[in-house]
Amino acid sequence: MEFGGATEMSSLQKQRSSYIPELPSCLQGSDIELEMGEATTVTDPVDAQSVNRCFPLTYGQPLVHFVNSISRTSLISSRAKEKPTIKIGVVFCGRQSPGGHNVVCGLYDALKSQNPNSSLVGFCGGTTGLFTKMVIEITEDIISAYRNQGGYGMLGRTLDQIRTSEQVSAALAACQSLNLNGLVIIGGVTSNTDAAQLAETFAEAKCSTKVIGVPVTFYGDLKNQFVEANVGFDTVCKVNSELISNLCTDALSAEKYYYFIRLMGRRASHVALECALQSQPNMVILSEEVTSYKLTLFDITKRICDAVQSRAEKDKYHGVILLPEGLIESIPEAYALLQEIHVLLKKGTPTDQISNFLTPWASALFESMPLFMKKQLLLSPDSDESAQLSQIETEKLIAQLVETEMEART
């Protein structure tokens, strides 16, 4: 695949490329100052010792705030300083999310505004390109072709993680040989965890490359007191809410269908919750509540059936129900079943024989599942050891269980 190549743009893409995002006041102009804040800490003090042990060189560093020059003197002195020429590398990691290209475009604009001779290079193919030093220099032509456009087509991406000592060493060697002043890793929770580990390793090796993690993930699970919103979350929620609202209208018009909709979001139900607030469906199941109350498949089915029955008593035989992608891993018995299956898959057990090696209760649950669900549960786990949630049709399973229960009730 050719990375960074220009593509023919549609009228809509051309219109989108002309949009200029508004920068916060602290980043406007070329005169930007840094203000050091309090030392970084952890949310739970109990974790402080273990985190400090894992990150002895980077934990406790002061928070950095960007501020505008507030006096004429500081403005003059800032302008008088010659901005150094720097070289930055950028890499896409994990699943793609809206806004990824704009992070690269913003980085390019900022570098060139400080010093036109500064350069930005992109690693092609995600972390694979990082390990093999497969880079392209990002130019104005490339930026113009991908500004405000979706996808990760500029550089490509990968699901691989920077976890083994060989991979970390390869990343370190790449940054040193390319003389990078900074490495920007664009991704979600796992990618930013890798960035933190890499920053610690670089500091230990006295490598001059600074590692920066950018929270680009539509899941919204990196939101905290320092990150107002993850890049991509707002776009995903608005697009999904529009589609859900259309189905709500269809259900209201036909007055005889129930729609079970599975939304993206692994361990966090942020997308499902935000879409529910925007589109107002009849019911939403949150993984966090299922985990908190230890709800079983039967409990979830019963709650939905109670809602369906209550609506039927009011002559309402239609509705829309939202389910998060990670629901299946939040159900205690289903999670335990998945863990047993993944252990057997690691041992090389043939998929057609896995049921014979499961514990009695897990085997009983597995055999009670419909055929399509059995096949999906047997899929190999992702690189982070979690199930391939995007491939498991939990909504079809719940819909089938609800249908069976409602037939029994009537």
Side-chain angles (χ1 to χ4, degrees):
M1 179 180 177
E2 183 182 355
F3 297 107
T7 57
E8 186 176 347
M9 301 176 70
S10 66
S11 299
L12 177 59
Q13 288 175 315
K14 291 177 181 178
Q15 184 67 28
R16 289 172 62 183
S17 66
S18 63
Y19 171 73
I20 302 176
E22 183 179 354
L23 287 173
S25 57
C26 63
L27 295 179
Q28 291 179 6
S30 59
D31 301 299
I32 300 170
E33 294 182 351
L34 299 181
E35 184 180 272
M36 298 301 176
E38 298 179 353
T40 54
T41 183
V42 292
T43 305
D44 190 346
V46 177
D47 300 326
Q49 186 175 358
S50 58
V51 174
N52 188 28
R53 186 167 57 250
C54 295
F55 301 93
L57 299 176
T58 52
Y59 176 72
Q61 294 290 325
L63 293 169
V64 177
H65 302 280
F66 293 96
V67 294
N68 276 352
S69 300
I70 56 176
S71 67
R72 181 175 177 81
T73 304
S74 61
L75 278 171
I76 295 174
S77 61
S78 177
R79 285 173 181 157
K81 294 178 182 178
E82 182 180 352
K83 304 295 191 302
T85 300
I86 60 175
K87 186 179 183 181
I88 304 294
V90 61
V91 57
F92 287 127
C93 297
R95 299 174 71 173
Q96 60 181 319
S97 182
H101 281 151
N102 273 28
V103 174
V104 181
C105 295
L107 189 57
Y108 177 86
D109 293 342
L111 282 173
K112 294 301 182 180
S113 69
Q114 297 297 311
N115 188 324
N117 295 320
S118 294
S119 59
L120 178 65
V121 297
F123 290 97
C124 302
T127 53
T128 302
L130 174 62
F131 304 145
T132 58
K133 291 182 284 190
M134 186 167 65
V135 299
I136 59 171
E137 182 171 357
I138 297 176
T139 62
E140 183 62 41
D141 290 339
I142 295 176
I143 290 296
S144 300
Y146 290 95
R147 192 181 294 276
N148 298 331
Q149 306 303 318
Y152 277 4
M154 180 194 294
L155 300 173
R157 53 113 185 174
T158 179
L159 284 174
D160 295 337
Q161 298 173 321
I162 311 172
R163 54 167 57 178
T164 66
S165 56
E166 292 80 6
Q167 291 172 335
V168 172
S169 298
L172 176 61
C175 292
Q176 288 177 328
S177 65
L178 292 170
N179 295 317
L180 295 183
N181 299 99
L183 173 65
V184 178
I185 295 177
I186 298 174
V189 172
T190 303
S191 301
N192 278 271
T193 302
D194 291 341
Q197 294 283 1
L198 211 57
E200 182 69 24
T201 303
F202 281 21
E204 185 179 356
K206 293 182 171 52
C207 175
S208 60
T209 305
K210 308 302 180 186
V211 183
I212 300 94
V214 182
V216 180
T217 164
F218 50 69
Y219 296 134
D221 48 0
L222 276 169
K223 183 178 178 181
N224 53 60
Q225 67 267 40
F226 305 112
V227 181
E228 184 178 350
N230 301 166
V231 178
F233 178 75
D234 184 65
T235 301
V236 163
C237 290
K238 285 179 178 176
V239 171
N240 279 328
S241 296
E242 180 182 2
L243 299 174
I244 295 167
S245 298
N246 291 341
L247 289 176
C248 288
T249 301
D250 184 77
L252 182 62
S253 301
E255 296 187 334
K256 59 179 180 180
Y257 297 121
Y258 269 91
Y259 289 102
F260 290 76
I261 304 172
R262 174 168 51 101
L263 292 165
M264 55 192 68
R266 303 178 73 81
R267 291 178 177 83
S269 303
H270 295 54
V271 173
L273 179 59
E274 181 62 28
C275 289
L277 293 171
Q278 292 188 25
S279 60
Q280 299 293 303
N282 300 100
M283 193 173 190
V284 58
I285 305 293
L286 301 179
S287 297
E288 289 82 353
E289 287 193 345
V290 172
T291 301
S292 177
Y293 294 108
K294 295 181 172 59
L295 300 180
T296 63
L297 269 173
F298 175 77
D299 294 330
I300 295 171
T301 303
K302 183 177 181 298
R303 288 192 176 195
I304 296 175
C305 288
D306 289 344
V308 171
Q309 185 172 339
S310 176
R311 288 178 58 79
E313 291 169 358
K314 300 177 182 178
D315 293 328
K316 296 180 179 179
Y317 301 96
H318 61 276
V320 174
I321 299 168
L322 304 186
L323 306 170
E325 188 179 55
L327 177 62
I328 192 70
E329 283 195 328
S330 301
I331 302 170
E333 69 268 32
Y335 178 74
L337 172 60
L338 283 168
Q339 292 299 103
E340 287 196 28
I341 290 175
H342 292 169
V343 169
L344 292 172
L345 288 174
K346 277 187 175 181
K347 293 180 179 179
T349 307
T351 54
D352 58 347
Q353 297 180 21
I354 279 184
S355 180
N356 300 329
F357 294 93
L358 294 171
T359 58
W361 63 266
S363 179
L365 175 61
F366 181 76
E367 292 301 328
S368 68
M369 296 286 184
L371 182 60
F372 75 88
M373 183 56 65
K374 288 181 181 178
K375 292 180 179 179
Q376 293 164 5
L377 292 176
L378 293 174
L379 294 173
S380 299
D382 285 333
S383 57
D384 61 353
E385 305 301 330
S386 64
Q388 292 193 40
L389 298 176
S390 61
Q391 304 298 318
I392 299 178
E393 298 173 301
T394 313
E395 76 283 7
K396 287 180 65 175
L397 173 64
I398 298 295
Q400 186 169 318
L401 293 174
V402 168
E403 182 180 12
T404 303
E405 174 64 17
M406 290 307 299
E407 287 176 355
R409 292 191 183 192
T410 56

